[in-house]
Amino acid sequence: MPSYQLRDTATRQLLDWGLADYDAAEAAADRLDDKLERDLAANGEGAGRIRLRLDVEKVTAGNTEVVGHHVLLLGVDNPADSLPTL
């Protein structure tokens, strides 16, 4: 049975592993995004400071295959109403 994992594309560092399916990998990326955003805010980082690309990898019988990507834009200010007024 395959499992999924998240890897930082630039550093090749494995960030999370043993995830049940692709949806679990996406949820893990969202949790990572939230944690990093909190860390940036705690350190007073400004908007648009970091762009992080993650590979979503599927692992089957020891073989690893990239099956998706998740791009995190950290530190970007997100107003409550991000849609323009019509």
Side-chain angles (χ1 to χ4, degrees):
M1 177 152 203
S3 65
Y4 291 77
Q5 58 193 27
L6 291 176
R7 185 177 306 274
D8 180 323
T9 303
T11 66
R12 303 305 302 152
Q13 179 181 356
L14 192 59
L15 302 174
D16 207 341
W17 56 91
L19 303 164
D21 54 27
Y22 192 89
D23 289 337
E26 287 289 322
D30 289 340
R31 286 190 302 275
L32 178 63
D33 185 30
D34 291 342
K35 180 189 179 317
L36 292 172
E37 284 284 350
R38 285 190 306 273
D39 291 349
L40 283 172
N43 289 318
E45 296 292 334
R49 294 276 186 173
I50 299 172
R51 180 177 177 266
L52 179 65
R53 180 177 162 159
L54 307 177
D55 288 335
V56 178
E57 299 175 339
K58 180 178 179 181
V59 181
T60 307
N63 295 319
T64 303
E65 165 190 14
V66 175
V67 294
H69 304 286
H70 194 91
V71 176
L72 307 179
L73 300 174
L74 303 172
V76 175
D77 293 331
N78 292 323
D81 183 10
S82 60
L83 296 175
T85 305
L86 299 176

